[in-house]
């Protein structure tokens, strides 16, 4: 469904340290860095034909996190969700909501999930669909 997702950062080096470590838990290679002619630096994480991009804002204004927005990364197991969570916290992320565990949802079924905020305040989720939802 998605081709790419882009979020902003106010500290490209801190974002690279955070996302290189966190996305490695999902098998995503470290960022490819590009600089646009106009100046902003961007981090490109490519995996499975899709891109997750972290950028300094093009308009020069401070980056802000979406209010009500969440970016969820698909994990292969509950253990991978826990690893994502733990690595995120170790690299400057903030744990939010309940501890990693099963979430019951009448629409999508049971998922094992963890929620964190990255150093810029973006809300991230690591999720694994439970076997009964396959």
């Amino acid at each position: 469904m998605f081709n790419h997702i882009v979020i902003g950062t106010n500290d490209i080096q801190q974002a690279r340290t955070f996302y290189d470590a966190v996305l490695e838990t999902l098998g995503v290679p470290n960022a490819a860095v590009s600089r646009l002619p106009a100046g902003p630096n961007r981090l490109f994480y490519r995996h499975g034909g899709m891109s997750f991009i972290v950028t300094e804002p093009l308009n020069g204004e401070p980056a802000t996190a979406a209010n009500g927005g969440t970016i969820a990364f698909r994990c292969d197991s509950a253990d991978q969700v826990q690893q994502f969570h733990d690595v995120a916290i170790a690299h400057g992320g903030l744990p939010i909501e309940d501890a990693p565990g099963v979430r019951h949802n009448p629409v999508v079924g049971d998922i094992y999930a963890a929620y964190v905020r990255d150093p810029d305040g973006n809300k991230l989720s690591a999720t694994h669909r439970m076997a009964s939802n396959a």
Side-chain angles (χ1 to χ4, degrees):
M1 178 185 292
F2 300 107
N3 182 65
H4 65 276
I5 295 172
V6 180
I7 62 170
T9 183
N10 293 306
D11 185 333
I12 200 79
Q13 291 304 89
Q14 181 182 40
R16 183 174 188 181
T17 298
F18 178 85
Y19 281 107
D20 278 1
V22 171
L23 295 179
E24 182 180 42
T25 68
L26 305 178
V28 178
N30 285 346
V33 180
S34 100
R35 184 173 176 90
L36 294 174
N41 291 297
R42 291 180 154 183
L43 306 174
F44 284 81
Y45 294 92
R46 304 265 309 140
H47 188 64
M50 294 169 274
S51 296
F52 178 70
I53 304 162
V54 183
T55 185
E56 297 169 331
L58 299 175
N59 65 3
E61 297 292 322
T64 58
N67 183 17
T70 302
I71 299 168
F73 292 92
R74 181 183 307 154
C75 294
D76 294 328
S77 67
D79 289 340
Q80 193 175 39
V81 170
Q82 187 68 51
Q83 184 182 17
F84 180 104
H85 177 267
D86 294 346
V87 170
I89 302 312
H91 287 84
L94 178 67
I96 57 172
E97 299 190 15
D98 294 333
V102 177
R103 307 297 197 275
H104 304 286
N105 184 301
V107 176
V108 299
D110 292 347
I111 61 170
Y112 192 93
Y115 293 88
V116 299
R117 290 209 182 266
D118 75 3
D120 285 293
N122 295 293
K123 185 177 178 184
L124 309 176
S125 173
T127 61
H128 171 65
R129 289 178 147 272
M130 306 300 282
S132 62
N133 300 328

